[in-house]
Amino acid sequence: MAPKSVSKTQVEEQNFRKIPNGVGKAAKGKPTDYSSHGVTDNDVFMLPGSDFQLLGFLTVVAATVRLFRIYQPSSVVFDEVHFGGFASKYIKGKFFMDVHPPLAKLLLTLAGWLAGFDGEFDFKDIGKDYLEPGVPYVAMRLLPALMGVMTVPMIFLTLKAAGCRTMTAALGAGMIIFENGLLTQSRLILLDSPLIVFTAFTALAWTCFTNQHEQGPSKAFDPSWWFWLVATGLGLGATVSVKWVGLFTIAWVGSLTLVQLWVLLGDNKTVTPRLWFKHFLARLFCLIVIPITFYVALFGVHFLCLVNPGDGDGFMSSEFQATLNSKAMQDVPVDVIMGSRVSIRHHNTHGGYLHSHNHMYPAGSKQQQITLYPHKDENNAWLLENQTQPLDPNGEEIKGIKAWDALEPTPVVDGTILRLYHVISDRRLHSHDVRPPVSEADWQNEVSAYGYEGFEGDANDLFRIEIVKSMSDGALAKTKVRTIETKFKLIHIMTGCSLFSHKVKLPEWGFDQQEVTCAKQGTLPNSIWYVEQNEHPSLGEDAEKVNYKNPGFLGKFWELQKVMWTTNAGLVESHAWDSRPPSWPILRRGINFWGKDHRQIYLLGNPIIWWSSTIAVGVYFAFKGLSVLRWQRGYDDYENVNFKRFDYEIGTSVLGWAFHYFPFYLMQRQLFLHHYFPALYFAIITTCQVYDFASNRVGGPLGIKDTPAIGRTGIVAFLAASIVAFTIYAPLSYGNPWTQNACQSVKLFDTWDFDCNTFHTDLGQYDLVQPSSNIQPTEAPAVAAEGQQKKPPAEHVTPQASVDQASIQREEKVEYRDQDGNLLNDEQVSSLEGKVSFQTRYETRTRVLDADGNEVEESSAGTAPPHPADQEPETAADAAEDSGREYPATVSPEDDISKEKSVKKNDDGKPRPASEAKDATKQ
């Protein structure tokens, strides 16, 4: 058994306690209540004036670094495609769907609106010029930039509240100021800067509250105690209202709250059960009720702003859509009878109408197309016919589609066999044992419109109503077809298949509308239909009417949360610049944001800051592992106050890092380097705390604790190295001029795949050719902004070369890379053919050549990650169908079952980017 003795030095260290302003005094013995040993009052409002002066200076430096040339580039960069576009939609009140909560987007919109933005600019192309249309993009970028500036005082005060020396707090502020990745994100119209600043505010508020709590009963329920607890709740609400990454922050605070409550439960001297429940309820209200209220209230503002139909309403249910202006429907008769003129909607794709138009399938039966169309249209009208024509009083057959108009109403009930007559084209819904033109699967049959006016039809026109009772609303709706209330299947009599629609779209000849087939084993949700519109001459004004139920605010709120979750989880396609969590702490790869005029913006962190923070986290894990081993061997290390404080204080920060990092390992969706930024913030705090303990609190043979000059020198040296690294990579952060040689000399790894050939060979060349704002960017792999985009005019696609550099040809080269992003030569590709499968992940880079074969300067936009809203809902239409391509299709809340994976896609075999190759580029 190891000895339990404690040296004189250890005793002195146990009795030493640091208090504010660097003054030490003897600590009292171990407390007998729940207060923590070795803790002092680190009230950030009581800092000396010199600390506030230093803080002011650091904030000015941060503002200078963040705001330097914030006007460049003067064109759309990366995800400004999405978040700038959302500002346009907020101003116009057009509903959109986004997987992120609305707080940051509302703030960006407010900044643009105050600066005079009218919402007319669409942001849909990377590289699209801001200057000519007069977009106040600088004002909109100022908001995230100022939030980036505010992160600096946040970390300074957080470190002071944690008990660190002023120089250590300055170290943390300097690391935030000169971190290239944080700089790049904070200078653009993106959500990450608001996310980081609210995360930082939450960390500050919680650290201050923890300091109050650890001082014991004397501070409990004081005004400052309540202030920081409420501030923490507001910080949590704001963080989760920017991105759902805020849930990790909630988990961090929640786990530490449980620790506090557990400690309180163990204090049976000063904490009575009544007092414990008071502590519990205070935390329950401030850390749960306040964040939830804040979060829900933001969606209230969101709904108040978005009152008009827009690109995103196709993601929502019919009940939700009916709450938008011009989408509301008049009350309609509830009873569906023979002869009713109806529109039939697909249940699972949230709004696609059963539709036909006078265009034929190019293959199969070559009969008239049946599709799912997302908008109200006269081609959605169907007349319900009995399988035989009715008879008059003389027993004679009544001819024509109006035969049922003057007869006694005959309800359509469960099991009714009927025909669906397309009113516009005089053809009937029809199916037969022919494979569909797109989904050529054995379990699906083609559905078409067949016949002509006066044609009596045949047996393949017959369908049976099969009411799905579990999904129908009300007792009557379970026995007969009632408008909106009854959900039913249409079973084809001759083949037994069910009318079916799913996520597969028809090619251009089908106007990109959603395929409708007859599935023999179709998944239930995709085989469900209901009647929306219902007209019949015998259903007068006194007929019972029905309409969509108003879901109310909470109903709309909950539905949107489910759609956001489902859509976010569906972002699983790879992207040219995505990366996985193991690569983030070592800064293995960045993101190409923008390229134009021989300049480039590439998201890359400061390697000095990045790697040192990772090492600091590793130091704590090593310390924790060693301390557990020593504890098991019987050493009394935790009797040492500094040892104990090191474990708890730094462990708190490392826990924040872990909560914001490890959950990403569980995600299959697209991930990017910027997802690591909240974890990086906690890693930077950890770095500063480790250094503070090593230089200011823990004694040792080197005597660093007793020689403060050494500790300060270390901080200055580290910040100097960080500034040097920051300066080296600053051209990639700001989009400044750079040279190819300078770029190549600091490209430490092949996986840092910024393109040095983008830059000129000499800085003097930037003075000869000024960047031209009217040069349009090269069409890059892109994700369409909500809904399908129209192809931009030619002048918005073709780069405008000067007269003496007329472009006469383009050449394209396919690059092959391995799983690590390394470029493969022709021999390597040949040796791998037949052994591995190649997957398209990288964007096409096009060179424009003049008559002499020389490369003509052309914009090179980066590839933005596809926004979830760009993953269109499941129906769409071409301009030939009432400009339907401007609108989204509807999305299925659940993917089809594995059978759908076997559907052969009708494409030309060309590689496609993850963004579906729209006119802009794909978090």
Coordinates of all heavy atoms in Angstrom, one line a residue, residues 151-221:
T151 N -17.4 37.6 -29.0 CA -16.9 36.3 -28.4 C -15.6 36.5 -27.6 O -15.3 35.8 -26.7 CB -16.6 35.3 -29.6 OG1 -17.8 35.2 -30.4 CG2 -16.3 33.9 -29.0
V152 N -14.8 37.6 -28.0 CA -13.6 37.9 -27.3 C -13.8 38.3 -25.9 O -13.2 37.7 -25.0 CB -12.8 38.9 -28.1 CG1 -11.6 39.4 -27.3 CG2 -12.4 38.3 -29.5
P153 N -14.6 39.3 -25.6 CA -14.9 39.6 -24.1 C -15.6 38.4 -23.4 O -15.4 38.3 -22.2 CB -15.8 40.8 -24.2 CG -16.3 40.9 -25.6 CD -15.3 40.3 -26.4
M154 N -16.3 37.6 -24.1 CA -17.0 36.5 -23.5 C -16.0 35.5 -22.9 O -16.1 35.1 -21.8 CB -17.9 35.8 -24.5 CG -19.1 36.5 -25.0 SD -20.3 36.8 -23.8 CE -21.5 37.8 -24.7
I155 N -15.0 35.1 -23.7 CA -14.0 34.2 -23.2 C -13.1 34.8 -22.2 O -12.7 34.1 -21.2 CB -13.2 33.6 -24.4 CG1 -12.5 32.3 -23.9 CG2 -12.2 34.6 -25.0 CD1 -11.8 31.5 -25.0
F156 N -12.8 36.1 -22.3 CA -12.0 36.7 -21.3 C -12.7 36.7 -19.9 O -12.1 36.3 -18.9 CB -11.7 38.2 -21.7 CG -10.8 39.0 -20.8 CD1 -9.5 39.1 -21.1 CD2 -11.4 39.6 -19.7 CE1 -8.7 39.8 -20.2 CE2 -10.6 40.3 -18.8 CZ -9.2 40.4 -19.1
L157 N -13.9 37.1 -19.9 CA -14.7 37.1 -18.7 C -14.9 35.7 -18.1 O -15.0 35.4 -16.9 CB -16.0 37.8 -18.9 CG -15.9 39.3 -19.2 CD1 -17.2 39.9 -19.5 CD2 -15.2 40.1 -18.0
T158 N -15.1 34.7 -19.1 CA -15.3 33.3 -18.6 C -14.1 32.8 -17.9 O -14.2 32.1 -16.8 CB -15.7 32.4 -19.8 OG1 -16.8 32.9 -20.5 CG2 -15.9 31.0 -19.4
L159 N -12.9 33.1 -18.4 CA -11.7 32.6 -17.8 C -11.5 33.3 -16.5 O -11.0 32.7 -15.5 CB -10.5 32.8 -18.7 CG -10.5 31.9 -20.0 CD1 -9.5 32.4 -21.0 CD2 -10.2 30.5 -19.5
K160 N -11.8 34.6 -16.4 CA -11.7 35.3 -15.1 C -12.7 34.7 -14.1 O -12.4 34.5 -12.9 CB -12.0 36.8 -15.3 CG -10.9 37.5 -16.1 CD -9.5 37.5 -15.3 CE -9.6 38.3 -14.0 NZ -8.3 38.3 -13.3
A161 N -13.9 34.4 -14.5 CA -14.9 33.8 -13.6 C -14.5 32.4 -13.2 O -14.8 32.0 -12.1 CB -16.2 33.7 -14.3
A162 N -13.6 31.7 -14.0 CA -13.2 30.4 -13.6 C -11.9 30.5 -12.7 O -11.4 29.4 -12.3 CB -12.8 29.6 -14.9
G163 N -11.5 31.7 -12.4 CA -10.4 31.9 -11.5 C -9.0 32.0 -12.1 O -8.0 32.0 -11.4
C164 N -8.9 32.2 -13.4 CA -7.7 32.3 -14.1 C -7.1 33.7 -14.0 O -7.8 34.7 -13.7 CB -7.8 32.0 -15.6 SG -8.2 30.3 -16.0
R165 N -5.8 33.9 -14.1 CA -5.1 35.2 -14.0 C -5.5 36.0 -15.3 O -5.9 35.5 -16.3 CB -3.6 35.0 -13.9 CG -3.1 34.2 -12.7 CD -3.4 35.0 -11.4 NE -2.9 34.2 -10.3 CZ -1.7 34.2 -9.7 NH1 -0.8 35.0 -10.3 NH2 -1.5 33.5 -8.7
T166 N -5.3 37.3 -15.2 CA -5.6 38.2 -16.2 C -4.8 37.9 -17.5 O -5.4 37.9 -18.6 CB -5.3 39.7 -15.8 OG1 -6.2 40.0 -14.7 CG2 -5.6 40.6 -17.0
M167 N -3.6 37.5 -17.4 CA -2.8 37.2 -18.6 C -3.3 36.0 -19.3 O -3.3 35.8 -20.5 CB -1.3 37.0 -18.2 CG -0.6 38.4 -18.0 SD -0.5 39.4 -19.4 CE 0.5 38.4 -20.5
T168 N -3.8 35.0 -18.5 CA -4.3 33.8 -19.1 C -5.6 34.1 -19.8 O -5.9 33.6 -20.9 CB -4.6 32.8 -18.0 OG1 -3.4 32.5 -17.2 CG2 -5.1 31.5 -18.6
A169 N -6.4 35.0 -19.2 CA -7.7 35.4 -19.9 C -7.3 36.2 -21.2 O -8.0 36.0 -22.2 CB -8.5 36.4 -19.0
A170 N -6.3 36.9 -21.2 CA -5.8 37.6 -22.4 C -5.4 36.6 -23.4 O -5.6 36.8 -24.7 CB -4.7 38.6 -22.1
L171 N -4.7 35.5 -23.0 CA -4.3 34.4 -23.9 C -5.5 33.8 -24.6 O -5.5 33.7 -25.8 CB -3.6 33.4 -23.1 CG -3.3 32.0 -23.9 CD1 -2.4 32.3 -25.0 CD2 -2.7 31.0 -22.9
G172 N -6.6 33.6 -23.8 CA -7.8 33.0 -24.5 C -8.4 34.0 -25.5 O -8.8 33.6 -26.6
A173 N -8.4 35.3 -25.1 CA -9.0 36.3 -26.1 C -8.1 36.3 -27.3 O -8.7 36.4 -28.4 CB -9.0 37.6 -25.4
G174 N -6.8 36.3 -27.2 CA -5.9 36.3 -28.3 C -6.1 35.1 -29.2 O -6.1 35.2 -30.5
M175 N -6.4 33.9 -28.6 CA -6.6 32.7 -29.4 C -7.9 32.8 -30.2 O -7.9 32.3 -31.4 CB -6.6 31.5 -28.5 CG -5.3 31.2 -27.9 SD -5.3 29.8 -26.7 CE -5.5 28.4 -27.8
I176 N -8.9 33.4 -29.7 CA -10.1 33.6 -30.4 C -9.9 34.6 -31.6 O -10.4 34.5 -32.7 CB -11.3 34.1 -29.5 CG1 -11.6 33.0 -28.5 CG2 -12.5 34.5 -30.3 CD1 -12.3 31.8 -29.1
I177 N -9.2 35.7 -31.3 CA -9.0 36.8 -32.2 C -8.3 36.3 -33.5 O -8.6 36.5 -34.6 CB -8.2 38.0 -31.6 CG1 -9.0 38.7 -30.6 CG2 -7.8 38.9 -32.7 CD1 -8.2 39.7 -29.8
F178 N -7.2 35.5 -33.2 CA -6.3 35.1 -34.3 C -6.6 33.6 -34.8 O -5.7 33.0 -35.4 CB -4.9 35.3 -33.9 CG -4.5 36.7 -33.6 CD1 -4.3 37.1 -32.3 CD2 -4.5 37.6 -34.6 CE1 -4.0 38.4 -32.0 CE2 -4.2 39.0 -34.3 CZ -4.0 39.4 -33.0
E179 N -7.8 33.1 -34.6 CA -8.1 31.8 -35.1 C -8.7 32.0 -36.5 O -9.8 32.5 -36.6 CB -9.1 31.1 -34.1 CG -9.0 29.6 -34.2 CD -9.4 29.0 -35.5 OE1 -10.5 29.2 -36.0 OE2 -8.4 28.4 -36.1
N180 N -8.1 31.5 -37.5 CA -8.5 31.8 -38.9 C -9.9 31.3 -39.2 O -10.6 31.9 -39.9 CB -7.5 31.2 -39.9 CG -6.1 31.9 -39.7 OD1 -5.4 31.7 -38.7 ND2 -5.7 32.6 -40.7
G181 N -10.2 30.1 -38.7 CA -11.5 29.5 -39.0 C -12.6 30.3 -38.5 O -13.6 30.6 -39.2
L182 N -12.5 30.7 -37.2 CA -13.5 31.5 -36.6 C -13.7 32.9 -37.3 O -14.8 33.4 -37.4 CB -13.2 31.7 -35.1 CG -13.3 30.4 -34.2 CD1 -12.9 30.8 -32.8 CD2 -14.7 29.8 -34.2
L183 N -12.5 33.4 -37.7 CA -12.5 34.7 -38.4 C -13.3 34.5 -39.7 O -14.2 35.4 -40.0 CB -11.1 35.1 -38.7 CG -10.9 36.2 -39.8 CD1 -11.4 37.5 -39.2 CD2 -9.5 36.3 -40.3
T184 N -13.0 33.5 -40.5 CA -13.6 33.3 -41.8 C -15.2 33.2 -41.7 O -15.9 33.8 -42.4 CB -13.1 32.1 -42.5 OG1 -11.7 32.2 -42.6 CG2 -13.7 31.9 -43.9
Q185 N -15.6 32.4 -40.7 CA -17.0 32.2 -40.5 C -17.8 33.4 -40.1 O -18.9 33.6 -40.4 CB -17.3 31.1 -39.5 CG -17.0 29.7 -40.0 CD -18.0 29.2 -41.0 OE1 -17.7 29.1 -42.2 NE2 -19.2 28.9 -40.6
S186 N -17.1 34.3 -39.3 CA -17.7 35.4 -38.7 C -17.8 36.6 -39.7 O -18.5 37.6 -39.4 CB -17.0 35.9 -37.5 OG -15.7 36.4 -37.8
R187 N -17.2 36.5 -40.9 CA -17.2 37.6 -41.8 C -18.2 37.5 -42.9 O -18.3 38.2 -43.8 CB -15.8 37.8 -42.4 CG -14.8 38.3 -41.5 CD -13.4 38.2 -42.0 NE -13.3 38.7 -43.4 CZ -13.1 40.0 -43.7 NH1 -13.0 40.9 -42.7 NH2 -13.0 40.3 -45.0
L188 N -19.0 36.4 -42.8 CA -20.0 36.1 -43.9 C -21.4 35.9 -43.3 O -21.6 35.8 -42.1 CB -19.5 34.8 -44.6 CG -18.1 34.8 -45.2 CD1 -17.7 33.4 -45.6 CD2 -18.0 35.8 -46.4
I189 N -22.4 35.9 -44.2 CA -23.8 35.8 -43.8 C -24.1 34.4 -43.5 O -24.7 33.6 -44.3 CB -24.7 36.4 -44.9 CG1 -24.3 37.8 -45.3 CG2 -26.1 36.4 -44.4 CD1 -25.0 38.4 -46.5
L190 N -23.6 33.9 -42.4 CA -23.7 32.5 -42.0 C -24.2 32.4 -40.5 O -24.3 33.4 -39.8 CB -22.4 31.8 -42.1 CG -21.7 31.8 -43.5 CD1 -20.3 31.2 -43.4 CD2 -22.5 31.1 -44.5
L191 N -24.6 31.2 -40.1 CA -25.2 31.1 -38.8 C -24.1 30.7 -37.7 O -24.5 30.8 -36.5 CB -26.2 29.9 -38.8 CG -27.3 30.0 -39.8 CD1 -28.3 28.9 -39.6 CD2 -28.0 31.4 -39.8
D192 N -22.9 30.4 -38.1 CA -22.0 29.8 -37.1 C -21.5 30.9 -36.1 O -21.3 30.6 -34.9 CB -20.8 29.2 -37.8 CG -21.2 28.0 -38.6 OD1 -21.3 26.9 -38.0 OD2 -21.5 28.2 -39.8
S193 N -21.3 32.1 -36.5 CA -20.9 33.2 -35.6 C -22.0 33.4 -34.5 O -21.6 33.5 -33.3 CB -20.6 34.5 -36.3 OG -20.0 35.4 -35.5
P194 N -23.3 33.6 -34.8 CA -24.3 33.7 -33.8 C -24.3 32.5 -32.9 O -24.4 32.6 -31.7 CB -25.6 33.8 -34.5 CG -25.2 34.4 -35.9 CD -23.9 33.8 -36.2
L195 N -24.1 31.3 -33.4 CA -24.1 30.1 -32.6 C -22.9 30.1 -31.6 O -23.1 29.8 -30.4 CB -23.9 28.8 -33.5 CG -23.7 27.5 -32.8 CD1 -25.0 27.1 -32.0 CD2 -23.3 26.4 -33.8
I196 N -21.7 30.5 -32.1 CA -20.6 30.5 -31.2 C -20.8 31.6 -30.1 O -20.4 31.4 -28.9 CB -19.3 30.8 -32.0 CG1 -19.0 29.7 -33.0 CG2 -18.1 31.0 -31.0 CD1 -18.9 28.3 -32.3
V197 N -21.3 32.8 -30.4 CA -21.4 33.8 -29.4 C -22.4 33.5 -28.4 O -22.2 33.7 -27.2 CB -21.7 35.2 -30.0 CG1 -23.1 35.3 -30.5 CG2 -21.3 36.3 -29.1
F198 N -23.5 32.8 -28.8 CA -24.5 32.4 -27.8 C -24.0 31.2 -26.9 O -24.3 31.1 -25.7 CB -25.8 32.1 -28.4 CG -26.6 33.3 -29.0 CD1 -27.0 33.3 -30.3 CD2 -26.7 34.4 -28.2 CE1 -27.7 34.4 -30.8 CE2 -27.4 35.5 -28.7 CZ -27.9 35.5 -30.0
T199 N -23.2 30.4 -27.5 CA -22.6 29.3 -26.8 C -21.6 29.9 -25.8 O -21.6 29.5 -24.6 CB -21.8 28.3 -27.7 OG1 -22.7 27.8 -28.7 CG2 -21.2 27.2 -26.9
A200 N -20.8 30.9 -26.2 CA -19.9 31.5 -25.3 C -20.6 32.3 -24.2 O -20.2 32.2 -23.0 CB -19.0 32.5 -26.1
F201 N -21.7 32.9 -24.5 CA -22.5 33.6 -23.4 C -23.0 32.6 -22.4 O -23.0 32.9 -21.2 CB -23.6 34.4 -24.1 CG -24.5 35.0 -23.0 CD1 -24.2 36.2 -22.4 CD2 -25.8 34.4 -22.7 CE1 -25.0 36.8 -21.4 CE2 -26.6 35.0 -21.8 CZ -26.2 36.2 -21.1
T202 N -23.5 31.5 -22.9 CA -24.0 30.4 -22.0 C -22.9 29.9 -21.1 O -23.1 29.7 -19.9 CB -24.6 29.3 -22.8 OG1 -25.6 29.8 -23.7 CG2 -25.2 28.2 -21.9
A203 N -21.7 29.7 -21.7 CA -20.6 29.2 -20.9 C -20.2 30.3 -19.8 O -19.9 29.9 -18.7 CB -19.4 28.9 -21.8
L204 N -20.2 31.5 -20.2 CA -19.9 32.6 -19.2 C -20.9 32.6 -18.1 O -20.5 32.7 -16.9 CB -19.9 34.0 -20.0 CG -19.8 35.2 -19.1 CD1 -18.6 35.2 -18.2 CD2 -20.0 36.5 -19.9
A205 N -22.2 32.6 -18.5 CA -23.2 32.7 -17.4 C -23.2 31.5 -16.5 O -23.3 31.6 -15.3 CB -24.6 32.8 -18.1
W206 N -23.0 30.3 -17.1 CA -22.9 29.1 -16.2 C -21.7 29.1 -15.3 O -21.7 28.7 -14.2 CB -23.0 27.9 -17.1 CG -22.9 26.6 -16.3 CD1 -21.8 25.8 -16.2 CD2 -23.9 26.1 -15.4 NE1 -22.1 24.7 -15.3 CE2 -23.4 24.9 -14.8 CE3 -25.2 26.5 -15.1 CZ2 -24.1 24.1 -13.9 CZ3 -25.9 25.7 -14.2 CH2 -25.4 24.6 -13.6
T207 N -20.6 29.6 -15.9 CA -19.3 29.6 -15.0 C -19.5 30.6 -13.9 O -19.1 30.3 -12.7 CB -18.1 30.0 -15.9 OG1 -18.0 29.1 -17.0 CG2 -16.9 30.0 -15.1
C208 N -20.1 31.7 -14.1 CA -20.4 32.7 -13.1 C -21.4 32.1 -12.1 O -21.2 32.3 -10.8 CB -20.9 34.0 -13.7 SG -19.7 34.9 -14.6
F209 N -22.4 31.4 -12.5 CA -23.4 30.8 -11.6 C -22.7 29.7 -10.8 O -22.9 29.6 -9.5 CB -24.6 30.2 -12.3 CG -25.5 29.4 -11.5 CD1 -26.3 30.1 -10.6 CD2 -25.5 28.0 -11.5 CE1 -27.2 29.3 -9.7 CE2 -26.3 27.3 -10.7 CZ -27.1 28.0 -9.8
T210 N -21.9 28.9 -11.4 CA -21.2 27.9 -10.7 C -20.3 28.5 -9.6 O -20.2 27.9 -8.5 CB -20.3 27.0 -11.7 OG1 -21.2 26.4 -12.6 CG2 -19.6 25.9 -10.9
N211 N -19.6 29.6 -9.9 CA -18.8 30.2 -8.9 C -19.6 30.7 -7.7 O -19.2 30.5 -6.5 CB -18.1 31.4 -9.5 CG -17.2 32.1 -8.5 OD1 -17.5 33.2 -8.1 ND2 -16.1 31.5 -8.1
Q212 N -20.8 31.2 -8.0 CA -21.7 31.6 -6.9 C -22.2 30.4 -6.1 O -22.2 30.4 -4.9 CB -23.0 32.3 -7.5 CG -22.7 33.6 -8.2 CD -22.3 34.7 -7.2 OE1 -23.1 35.0 -6.3 NE2 -21.2 35.3 -7.4
H213 N -22.5 29.3 -6.8 CA -23.0 28.1 -6.1 C -21.9 27.5 -5.2 O -22.2 27.0 -4.1 CB -23.5 27.1 -7.2 CG -23.6 25.7 -6.7 ND1 -24.8 25.3 -5.9 CD2 -22.8 24.6 -6.7 CE1 -24.7 24.1 -5.6 NE2 -23.5 23.6 -6.0
E214 N -20.7 27.5 -5.7 CA -19.6 26.8 -5.0 C -19.2 27.6 -3.8 O -18.4 27.1 -2.9 CB -18.4 26.6 -5.9 CG -18.6 25.5 -7.0 CD -17.3 25.1 -7.6 OE1 -16.7 26.0 -8.2 OE2 -17.0 23.9 -7.6
Q215 N -19.7 28.8 -3.6 CA -19.4 29.6 -2.4 C -20.3 29.2 -1.3 O -20.2 29.7 -0.1 CB -19.4 31.1 -2.7 CG -18.3 31.5 -3.6 CD -18.4 33.0 -4.0 OE1 -18.3 33.8 -3.0 NE2 -18.6 33.3 -5.2
G216 N -21.3 28.3 -1.5 CA -22.1 27.8 -0.5 C -23.3 28.5 -0.2 O -23.8 29.4 -0.9
P217 N -23.9 28.2 1.0 CA -25.3 28.7 1.4 C -25.3 30.3 1.5 O -26.3 30.9 1.3 CB -25.5 28.1 2.7 CG -24.7 26.9 2.8 CD -23.4 27.2 2.0
S218 N -24.1 30.9 1.7 CA -24.1 32.3 1.9 C -24.5 33.1 0.6 O -24.9 34.2 0.6 CB -22.7 32.8 2.3 OG -21.8 32.5 1.3
K219 N -24.3 32.4 -0.6 CA -24.6 33.1 -1.9 C -25.9 32.6 -2.5 O -26.4 33.1 -3.4 CB -23.5 32.8 -2.8 CG -22.2 33.5 -2.5 CD -22.3 35.0 -2.8 CE -21.0 35.7 -2.7 NZ -21.1 37.1 -3.1
A220 N -26.5 31.5 -1.9 CA -27.7 30.9 -2.5 C -28.8 31.8 -2.6 O -29.1 32.5 -1.5 CB -28.0 29.6 -1.8
F221 N -29.5 32.0 -3.7 CA -30.7 32.8 -3.9 C -30.4 34.3 -3.8 O -31.4 35.0 -3.6 CB -31.8 32.3 -3.0 CG -32.1 30.8 -3.2 CD1 -31.7 29.9 -2.1 CD2 -32.7 30.3 -4.3 CE1 -32.0 28.6 -2.2 CE2 -32.9 28.9 -4.4 CZ -32.6 28.1 -3.4

